[in-house]
Amino acid sequence: MKSKLVKRIDGPTPNGGVYAEVSFTNKDGKPCVEEEAAKCTINEFAEDGTLINSVYSIVQVKK
């Protein structure tokens, strides 16, 4: 079973990767599911799994 704490997105990424993984943290910095997230880290990977780029972001609450 795949973790719901990390969301994989297959397909080209802005920095030339082939997939990205988004991990979510709550306001206290602890791992959480996407629906409870305050921040996230987006990691872009090459085909061989090499990390290409990492971006940190504040999650905007949907209204």
Side-chain angles (χ1 to χ4, degrees), residues 1 3 5 7-8 15 18 20 22 30 33 39 43 48-52 59 62-63:
M1 178 182 219
S3 170
L5 303 179
K7 179 179 181 180
R8 181 176 166 138
N15 291 287
V18 295
V22 184
K30 297 188 181 197
V33 294
K39 298 178 183 176
N43 294 313
D48 66 359
T50 301
L51 179 65
I52 294 175
V59 175
K62 294 180 183 178
K63 293 184 179 184

Side-chain angles (χ1 to χ4, degrees), residues 17-39:
V18 295
Y19 70 95
E21 290 182 347
V22 184
S23 57
F24 304 97
T25 55
N26 64 20
K27 62 182 175 132
D28 298 320
K30 297 188 181 197
C32 67
V33 294
E34 182 175 4
E35 295 78 17
E36 299 171 1
K39 298 178 183 176

Side-chain angles (χ1 to χ4, degrees), residues 42-54:
I42 305 165
N43 294 313
E44 297 180 43
F45 295 91
E47 191 170 351
D48 66 359
T50 301
L51 179 65
I52 294 175
N53 192 45
S54 187

